[in-house]
Amino acid sequence: MNYLSTRGGVAPVGFSEAVMMGLGIDGGLLLPETAPQVGPDALCDWSRLSFQDLALELMDPFVADAIPRADLRALIRRSYGTFSHGEVTPLVKVGNQRILELFHGPTAAFKDVALQFLGNVFEYLLTRDGGRLNILGATSGDTGSAAIAGVRGKARIRIFILHPAGRVSPIQERQMTTVPDANVHNIAIRGTFDDGQRIVKALFNDLDFKRQYNLGAVNSINWARILAQIVYYFYAWGRMSRGDPGFRIGFSVPTGNFGDVFAGYMAKRMGLPIDRLLIATNRNDILARFVADGRYAAGEVHPTLSPAMDIQIASNFERYLYFLVGEDPAAVRALLSEMDRTGCMRVTKEQLATLAGDFEAAAVDDARTLDRIRETYEQDGYILDPHTAVGVQAARHRADMICLATAHPAKFNDAVRRAIGIQAPPPPCLRGLLEKETRCTRLDATEEAVRGYLRDTLRGIEDQP
Ligand SMILES: *Cc1c(COP(=O)(O)O)cnc(C)c1O
């Protein structure tokens, strides 16, 4: 399978190169040349498979040539062996709604589904083909801990995660800084999340530095992350349909960077009978407004109770845009430059109709998020985290939708306590964190401080075989 860029500036590359490249060298996002089709017979047969066996069938055509099937099977086993639930992503019934629990991984957030796999793929490719990878990222909480859990202890990989000192929740801080592996480096900067992002961006833009120190990213633009997330859409469908290829269902997806819901869109393109994908946003509703009127205009980011969705420009959205404009990189570039020039882009009437056929959207504010947590707890005894609550509220009274649960409620205890007065019991991975030893380096929020730290830490290591 070959991969192309949404902006048309990358010669077709194979799976290994696409994963190691992350963001396209032309600034675009990588996509497979075609979507492998899953016909009615396969849908029916695969609906009986375990998550891991289903993942193997679905991923194989995307990965073919790059990783032999037996090795891919082993990578998948290792990636999902760290999940605390035998089904990996179980589908549960809550009142008249279905909830797909994606939070049974090592950091209790759905990002583990993708990052456990990505970490193993990185290690496999680097060990086989040679090379080293030094992951650098800035986090406001969730992504950092899931990325660290994905690569801790892996050969040929080091990870450097910047977080704003004193500005992430105590649980999130502990999830990152209590990981004892020597390849994990936590940096608390004396500044904000935006400072962290600015520093990371500046270091990535210094191409000589980036090359010399083999810097890479793990943000949600990596194709392997989307690939891993396609699997649970098929898995959930199989659990509900029992293999009837005529069975159709929708999904409600709490959305930030559009990675999760784009994986659902890919599943649909591959032939999964998905009726509609519901983009559920919090008050940061740029995507909901776009689905309503075809006008994509960024505003200010408002902090909410669902912080992982406090995003205005969704990085994965460009992947959908590519399909919306008829797989035409020139048209993608034109829309992006319109956005650059005017702060806004607009699609045609026909495109808006296509969009309405693929997606619905709804924005849910903090007050209704808290109401949803409370009502679901009172009626069904089930505790939702605030991100999941946004999706459940957006799809209320819809028995034809599966709601994706993106975080364990114990990760967001402040919001849960505000809604129902008690905390959710923590899953095993969140227990005892406060007693564990922490490791973290404090630095000033400057490019020079972080550059110096990377240099000092990596000196010598890069020359080893
Ligand atoms: C990252 C995240 C989201 C948003 O997912 P996207 O793929 O960015 O749309 C939703 N909920 C939680 C808990 C997350 O960590």
Side-chain angles (χ1 to χ4, degrees):
M1 176 77 75
N2 279 327
Y3 291 81
L4 307 167
S5 163
T6 50
R7 297 188 192 177
V10 177
V13 294
F15 177 80
S16 311
E17 286 161 283
V19 170
M20 296 314 296
M21 196 182 291
L23 182 69
I25 46 172
D26 62 348
L29 278 76
L30 299 175
L31 279 169
E33 219 162 28
T34 58
Q37 292 302 300
V38 181
D41 291 344
L43 273 176
C44 179
D45 292 346
W46 295 356
S47 71
R48 285 185 287 273
L49 297 181
S50 67
F51 182 94
Q52 290 87 338
D53 290 344
L54 177 63
L56 179 63
E57 298 301 340
L58 290 168
M59 290 178 175
D60 198 35
F62 287 103
V63 171
D65 324 332
I67 302 178
R69 192 171 159 96
D71 291 357
L72 179 61
R73 177 183 285 119
L75 286 177
I76 291 169
R77 294 242 164 258
R78 201 171 323 135
S79 301
Y80 300 108
T82 57
F83 278 59
S84 63
H85 196 288
E87 278 199 72
V88 184
T89 60
L91 183 68
V92 301
K93 196 156 188 252
V94 175
N96 67 352
Q97 284 184 306
R98 310 275 173 159
I99 293 189
L100 183 65
E101 294 184 343
L102 304 177
F103 52 69
H104 294 284
T107 73
F110 95 101
K111 292 189 171 66
D112 290 328
V113 178
L115 287 167
Q116 288 292 302
F117 178 67
L118 181 62
N120 282 313
V121 171
F122 275 151
E123 180 180 54
Y124 175 89
L125 295 176
L126 290 166
T127 303
R128 187 187 68 185
D129 304 339
R132 290 180 178 279
L133 176 62
N134 294 308
I135 293 163
L136 174 65
T139 189
S140 56
D142 263 8
T143 311
S145 53
I148 287 171
V151 303
R152 60 182 290 186
K154 299 249 183 282
R156 295 175 170 269
I157 304 174
R158 286 181 175 265
I159 183 163
F160 298 83
I161 295 290
L162 277 56
H163 70 264
R167 296 191 203 210
V168 296
S169 81
I171 287 190
Q172 289 176 328
E173 199 254 331
R174 293 286 165 145
Q175 278 188 301
M176 294 190 280
T177 60
T178 57
V179 176
D181 302 78
N183 70 333
V184 173
H185 302 268
N186 278 287
I187 302 171
I189 53 162
R190 300 183 185 95
T192 62
F193 169 60
D194 289 338
D195 291 330
Q197 270 200 314
R198 182 177 44 74
I199 293 168
V200 167
K201 224 177 185 171
L203 292 174
F204 277 131
N205 280 337
D206 181 345
L207 294 183
D208 287 335
F209 187 76
K210 184 176 174 217
R211 209 170 303 121
Q212 186 183 356
Y213 289 99
N214 301 309
L215 296 188
V218 283
N219 44 20
S220 65
I221 43 90
N222 198 299
W223 169 255
R225 286 184 65 174
I226 305 286
L227 178 58
Q229 291 174 217
I230 291 172
V231 179
Y232 50 71
Y233 286 91
F234 279 87
Y235 185 75
W237 179 87
R239 283 288 149 301
M240 259 195 98
S241 67
R242 302 191 186 280
D244 168 12
F247 181 85
R248 303 181 73 82
I249 191 78
F251 288 90
S252 176
V253 187
T255 299
N257 261 323
F258 208 76
D260 203 358
V261 74
F262 182 76
Y265 175 75
M266 280 303 295
K268 185 174 172 171
R269 285 191 77 89
M270 291 166 70
L272 188 68
I274 293 179
D275 254 342
R276 207 63 76 76
L277 291 158
L278 172 52
I279 299 170
T281 71
N282 60 28
R283 187 180 161 203
N284 298 292
D285 61 351
I286 176 172
L287 288 165
R289 281 183 282 127
F290 179 62
V291 173
D293 63 11
R295 195 171 166 274
Y296 190 79
E300 218 180 298
V301 178
H302 302 285
T304 71
L305 295 173
S306 42
M309 294 154 63
D310 291 347
I311 285 163
Q312 282 287 350
I313 296 295
S315 49
N316 267 291
F317 182 66
E318 186 172 329
R319 285 195 161 108
Y320 176 68
L321 207 54
Y322 174 80
F323 289 110
L324 187 63
V325 299
E327 306 181 36
D328 174 4
V332 172
R333 291 196 305 268
L335 282 173
L336 292 174
S337 80
E338 182 186 332
M339 184 86 195
D340 262 353
R341 268 196 333 270
T342 66
C344 159
M345 68 171 98
R346 203 185 275 278
V347 299
T348 65
K349 266 216 175 67
E350 295 73 41
Q351 288 163 348
L352 186 57
T354 305
L355 185 68
D358 291 328
F359 299 106
E360 291 174 52
V364 175
D365 65 17
D366 277 352
R368 285 193 299 150
T369 303
L370 290 172
D371 285 347
R372 177 43 49 210
I373 295 174
R374 189 173 50 249
E375 281 167 30
T376 300
Y377 180 64
E378 283 170 0
Q379 287 164 15
D380 307 306
Y382 187 91
I383 305 179
L384 299 166
D385 99 280
H387 304 80
T388 306
V390 166
V392 172
Q393 172 67 17
R396 74 203 176 288
H397 311 312
R398 300 277 299 267
D400 61 341
M401 287 228 162
I402 293 172
C403 300
L404 304 196
T406 53
H408 191 285
K411 269 197 106 163
F412 296 93
N413 265 324
D414 287 347
V416 169
R417 209 182 305 110
R418 264 177 72 182
I420 59 176
I422 59 165
Q423 300 190 356
C429 68
L430 298 181
R431 279 181 220 148
L433 279 179
L434 295 178
E435 288 84 63
K436 286 190 186 156
E437 208 172 306
T438 64
R439 262 182 338 122
C440 185
T441 303
R442 262 179 186 265
L443 294 177
D444 282 336
T446 65
E447 189 188 324
E448 273 327 299
V450 176
R451 187 193 295 270
Y453 179 81
L454 286 172
R455 252 199 211 117
D456 292 346
T457 310
L458 296 174
R459 181 166 297 139
I461 292 174
E462 296 307 292
D463 315 323
Q464 294 164 14

